[in-house]
Amino acid sequence: MSSTRRGFLKGILGTGAAGAAASTLPGCAPDIDPAPVTDISASDLGTVDILVSRYPDLMPVGGALTVRVPGTETVPLLVVHSKDDGAPDDFSVLSSICTHVGCPLGYDGKDVICPCHLSRFNARDGAVLQRPATVPLQTFSAEYNVNTGVLRINLRAGQSDFPAAVNGQVVLPLDQFPALRDVGGSVTGVPDGYGRRIFVFRMQDGSLSAVDSICTHLNCEVEHRTQESDLFCACHASIFTLDGAVTQGPATRPLKRFTVSETPDSIVLTGVA
């Protein structure tokens, strides 16, 4: 493994986790140069501004940069610079951690690639193009201002078809989310103003549970496994119950939980901030 890649692993994961990731690198893995790492703080509004001209590795088409956001639970971001023939410059922002076993990702100018086991992802929407990874990468909303040369990443952007977080609350009308009326029903979505996926479950005893999707090990996104009735982190195989408790490490802390209340017409989540 090249010294560049080893330094990248340490910069993203820390010394201990980097050693574990490095041990998974096969001898046939391509020597993909990982995007250099930088720290950029988020504003109080949850936005990260990147003046592209300050980062020579990101400026050219085909360039990329790994951005850590100190003080947040956001997974490190992979920012890639692409451009279709005749089109203006474009940037995509994705998770920089492979959803297979959590290795840091590189960019070859077309696809996002994992140097550990050769998984490939679409640089636009994070979709898996080549296994062994099966879970797509997280994507983040970003807008490039051609006049100022600033790329603004919105860490709190959500889905247009899911209720927004307002003053720390998300209200789910039962007529829009009827699955939550029934035992075993579930809903998932990303509230605007919060920016991270949440899961809401009607438990077997009729109670309600609502949890954040970010694994407390290294901030990868968990997925709901319906057959196993649990929440699974594909990066390092941590497993959580539907109310966020850890049943299998390496995670040691539960998922973030939200207070849930119920009215005749809606489910109200509190603490979504």
Side-chain angles (χ1 to χ4, degrees), residues 1 15 18 21 23 35 39 56 67 85 89 128 136 140 144 161 179 189 194-195 213 243 250 267:
M1 180 174 62
T15 303
S23 67
D39 290 347
V67 177
D85 290 343
D89 287 17
V128 177
F140 298 83
Y144 180 62
D161 60 349
Y194 185 64
S213 65
D243 61 1
I267 306 298

Side-chain angles (χ1 to χ4, degrees), residues 52-209:
V52 174
S53 62
R54 290 187 57 187
Y55 300 94
D57 295 285
L58 184 60
M59 284 182 63
V61 173
L65 186 70
T66 300
V67 177
R68 297 179 301 194
V69 188
T72 73
E73 296 177 341
T74 303
V75 68
L77 309 172
L78 180 67
V79 184
V80 302
H81 185 173
S82 60
K83 183 177 182 180
D84 296 329
D85 290 343
D89 287 17
D90 193 16
F91 296 86
S92 298
V93 185
L94 314 96
S95 162
S96 71
I97 304 298
C98 182
T99 56
H100 176 222
V101 292
C103 292
L105 296 168
Y107 180 57
D108 70 354
K110 178 184 177 183
D111 299 329
V112 175
I113 304 177
C114 177
C116 290
H117 304 103
L118 308 185
S119 294
R120 283 180 176 262
F121 303 86
N122 187 300
R124 297 280 184 176
D125 61 10
V128 177
L129 301 177
Q130 179 173 293
R131 296 191 174 202
T134 60
V135 178
L137 300 176
Q138 293 174 252
T139 59
F140 298 83
S141 175
E143 184 176 357
Y144 180 62
N145 187 320
V146 295
N147 296 316
T148 64
V150 171
L151 176 69
R152 172 162 290 180
I153 304 167
N154 186 352
L155 301 179
R156 297 182 188 171
Q159 296 174 211
S160 60
D161 60 349
F162 198 80
V166 179
N167 296 324
Q169 287 192 331
V170 173
V171 178
L172 302 173
L174 287 170
D175 60 350
Q176 296 180 34
F177 301 95
L180 292 178
R181 297 183 187 273
D182 303 323
V183 169
S186 65
V187 164
T188 183
V190 182
D192 194 58
Y194 185 64
R196 299 200 297 271
R197 181 170 301 281
I198 60 175
F199 294 97
V200 186
F201 302 101
R202 176 73 72 173
M203 308 291 275
Q204 292 301 313
D205 63 0
S207 65
L208 288 157
S209 169

Side-chain angles (χ1 to χ4, degrees), residues 125 169 195 218 268 270:
D125 61 10
Q169 287 192 331
L218 286 175
V268 180
T270 304

